[in-house]
Amino acid sequence: MSHLRSLRDLFVHELQDLHSAESQLLTALPKMQNAATNPDLKEAFSHHLGETKAQLERLDRCFASLAATPQGHTCEAMKGLIKEGEEIIKADADPTVRDAALISAAQRVEHYEIAGYGTVKYFADLLDYDDLEGLLGETLKEESNADKKLNKIATGGMLSSGINKEAMAPERR
């Protein structure tokens, strides 16, 4: 970890973590989209891929404003979350159960990002970086909306109507 002598140092470090996380998602989201069978879920992953590209651009604008570099830190948490998602993709699973597992994995990613962006948005406020606070707030809103969309797909009937009896737990049969 780099030296954290000030809130600004921590702010830059946290932005680097988010930049690394978003960069890793650029390769993970297309894999999740390809593995999904539910059309709404496929579309949600595709849409969020476009948002992720825009979020990286916003982070790059933050780094330019701070005269800092996005490199120098790897987000190990995102690495782990993506690894779990890859295990789901490779699993021998009923397609609807796989979709449910992909939603679960994607929501863990979203919750990690929501926590990260909420924190850096607050740090930007404390540091009087009003422009950066606005950029980070925009991304925080997108991450929150992505989580809500995944929740809506999961609770909108996909699970209750799509899981076959064999895929349900034995105690539910």
Side-chain angles (χ1 to χ4, degrees):
M1 181 176 278
S2 57
H3 297 291
L4 301 176
R5 295 185 184 109
S6 67
L7 182 58
R8 184 190 184 283
D9 290 346
L10 178 59
F11 180 61
V12 170
H13 174 79
E14 293 296 316
L15 289 174
Q16 288 171 332
D17 184 80
L18 288 165
H19 194 279
S20 172
E22 298 289 11
S23 296
Q24 292 176 55
L25 280 176
L26 284 182
T27 58
L29 282 168
K31 293 176 188 176
M32 294 176 81
Q33 180 184 0
N34 288 337
T37 57
N38 179 284
D40 293 334
L41 184 56
K42 281 184 166 295
E43 189 280 325
F45 287 142
S46 174
H47 179 77
H48 199 57
L49 178 61
E51 285 181 331
T52 300
K53 291 175 184 174
Q55 292 164 358
L56 270 169
E57 290 172 9
R58 279 188 220 115
L59 285 170
D60 287 338
R61 287 169 47 197
C62 290
F63 286 109
S65 175
L66 296 166
T69 177
Q71 284 74 39
H73 177 75
T74 299
C75 180
E76 295 296 331
M78 188 59 69
K79 239 184 187 177
L81 291 169
I82 289 172
K83 182 179 179 195
E84 287 183 5
E86 288 172 350
E87 290 170 3
I88 292 165
I89 290 169
K90 294 175 186 172
D92 179 22
D94 173 88
T96 304
V97 173
R98 177 179 286 114
D99 283 352
L102 288 169
I103 289 170
S104 177
Q107 284 192 293
R108 280 193 291 280
V109 166
E110 293 309 323
H111 292 187
Y112 179 80
E113 291 179 309
I114 289 166
Y117 281 106
T119 299
V120 293
K121 181 182 179 295
Y122 178 65
F123 289 168
D125 178 48
L126 290 175
L127 293 164
D128 292 322
Y129 296 147
D130 296 337
D131 291 350
L132 303 186
E133 183 182 1
L135 291 172
L136 297 166
E138 190 175 339
T139 297
L140 179 60
K141 184 177 178 183
E142 288 172 351
E143 298 296 4
S144 234
N145 288 338
D147 180 53
K148 289 175 188 166
K149 183 183 242 182
L150 290 167
N151 212 31
K152 184 177 179 185
I153 293 167
T155 60
M158 180 191 93
L159 296 179
S160 61
S161 65
I163 294 183
N164 60 37
K165 293 288 182 192
E166 293 78 34
M168 290 179 75
E171 63 273 9
R172 297 263 335 254
R173 286 187 216 157

